[in-house]
């Protein structure tokens, strides 16, 4: 289980074998200045570009050209830091952004799907369910419940 794992300076999970999931709340870490400074500069730039284009994800080859890196090198960097491919990292960032919108806004699911770069609400819902192991609506209800 990686839910209690913490990233090391290079972003790797320090709890041993990684199931492919990022640590508990990567949205709270990824994108922060101190975290980005701990990464390879081009990997940090990749994350920044993904975050800047959440609602309209750019093709990987276009992002690689913009940051002057080969897709193979970017793949090695994301695998070393996050144990996943660049596309999966992009999806994780987008899904964590969607989770933050579900928690903090009253936007509709189609609006959140679009803001997160998903063209269809069903596709967004399936991706969200696969990542968080619950549907977006249930996630929102659980996040909005008052603590007892």
């Amino acid at each position: 289980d990686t839910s209690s794992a913490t990233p090391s300076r290079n972003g790797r999970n320090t709890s041993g074998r990684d199931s492919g999931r990022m640590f508990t709340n990567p949205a709270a870490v990824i994108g922060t200045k101190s975290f980005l400074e701990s990464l390879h500069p081009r990997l940090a730039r990749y994350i920044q570009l993904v975050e800047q284009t959440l609602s309209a994800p750019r093709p990987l080859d276009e992002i690689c050209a913009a940051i002057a890196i080969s897709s193979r090198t970017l793949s090695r960097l994301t695998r070393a830091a996050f144990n996943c491919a660049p596309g999966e990292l992009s999806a994780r960032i987008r899904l964590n952004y969607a989770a933050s919108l579900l928690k903090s806004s009253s936007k509709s699911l189609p609006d959140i799907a679009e803001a997160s770069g998903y063209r269809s609400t069903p596709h967004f819902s399936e991706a969200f369910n696969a990542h968080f192991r619950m549907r977006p609506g249930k996630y929102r209800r659980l996040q909005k419940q008052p603590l007892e």
Side-chain angles (χ1 to χ4, degrees):
D1 179 39
T2 60
S3 62
S4 62
T6 56
S8 66
R9 176 158 166 70
N10 66 3
R12 290 186 186 179
N13 183 317
T14 58
S15 68
R17 296 201 69 89
D18 189 334
S19 66
R21 291 207 170 274
M22 291 171 64
F23 28 92
T24 305
N25 188 2
V29 177
I30 292 179
T32 62
K33 186 176 179 183
S34 62
F35 181 76
L36 290 175
E37 287 173 351
S38 72
L39 298 174
H40 185 284
R42 290 199 171 119
L43 179 54
R45 185 68 184 123
Y46 171 74
I47 291 169
Q48 289 172 328
L49 284 174
V50 168
E51 290 175 337
Q52 290 168 2
T53 59
L54 287 168
S55 63
R58 296 165 61 184
L60 184 60
D61 60 340
E62 188 179 310
I63 292 176
C64 287
I67 60 177
I69 192 172
S70 72
S71 60
R72 179 68 186 119
T73 300
L74 181 61
S75 182
R76 281 194 297 268
L77 291 172
T78 58
R79 180 101 22 226
F82 299 103
N83 197 28
C84 67
E88 186 178 346
L89 177 59
S90 173
R92 290 176 181 182
I93 292 168
R94 291 168 40 217
L95 289 167
N96 280 299
Y97 175 67
S100 71
L101 290 177
L102 286 166
K103 184 176 181 177
S104 66
S105 78
S106 58
K107 288 184 178 188
S108 68
L109 285 184
D111 288 345
I112 290 173
E114 184 179 333
S116 304
Y118 288 89
R119 294 181 186 189
S120 79
T121 304
H123 182 238
F124 161 70
S125 185
E126 287 302 315
F128 193 94
N129 188 42
H131 183 71
F132 290 101
R133 296 188 174 104
M134 73 176 68
R135 297 279 180 199
K138 182 176 182 180
Y139 180 89
R140 174 177 267 168
R141 284 189 301 277
L142 290 173
Q143 296 301 313
K144 299 278 183 172
Q145 288 181 350
L147 297 176
E148 295 179 14

